[in-house]
Amino acid sequence: MGDALSKVGKRIREIRKAKGYSQESLGEKCGFTFSYIGGIERAENNVSIRNLERIAEALEVELFEFFVDHRDIKRLANKTALAEDVINLLLTLDDKKLKKASSILNEIFKP
């Protein structure tokens, strides 16, 4: 549980800073004290879903943003782009070359 609180708190801090809010200004915007916001960010407060909704509304983000690591999304987007490049290349091949490419890839990457 503590790990989840830490991750959510870290994401709230990242989003808050990216939007240019201090803990005090965010707290004022959603009706909390700066110390409560700080406690959430440090994983000292077990924040309720209702309070997360208020924070999300104040930050003008969707609630799920607190549970997503954007570094993972960027890595996935980069992999997807590379995979699309490979697929586009494979689609240009005739059947004979495509079978050869498949055999080579299977040989290289088989478990």
Side-chain angles (χ1 to χ4, degrees):
M1 177 76 91
D3 191 41
L5 290 175
S6 294
K7 289 178 181 179
V8 169
K10 181 180 176 185
R11 281 294 298 142
I12 290 172
R13 178 181 290 125
E14 289 171 353
I15 295 167
R16 174 182 61 76
K17 286 185 173 185
K19 299 232 177 208
Y21 289 112
S22 66
Q23 289 178 345
E24 185 174 9
S25 62
L26 175 59
E28 287 175 7
K29 192 167 182 183
C30 55
F32 301 132
T33 65
F34 75 91
S35 60
Y36 181 70
I37 298 295
I40 293 168
E41 292 181 354
R42 292 185 303 276
E44 296 170 355
N45 296 336
N46 189 4
V47 61
S48 71
I49 298 296
R50 285 192 178 105
N51 287 349
L52 284 177
E53 287 177 323
R54 289 171 65 180
I55 295 168
E57 186 176 305
L59 290 172
E60 299 177 353
V61 298
E62 296 293 328
L63 186 61
F64 78 87
E65 292 286 334
F66 298 150
F67 302 94
V68 176
D69 185 339
H70 285 277
R71 292 172 299 201
D72 290 339
I73 292 172
K74 284 183 179 180
R75 283 190 286 269
L76 180 59
N78 290 338
K79 282 187 173 189
T80 301
L82 287 172
E84 287 175 358
D85 288 346
V86 171
I87 290 168
N88 288 332
L89 173 64
L90 293 172
L91 289 173
T92 65
L93 302 177
D94 61 38
D95 289 346
K96 184 177 178 182
K97 287 181 180 178
L98 185 59
K99 285 180 185 179
K100 186 174 182 177
S102 177
S103 295
I104 291 168
L105 290 172
N106 282 319
E107 187 62 34
I108 293 171
F109 298 111
K110 70 179 175 185

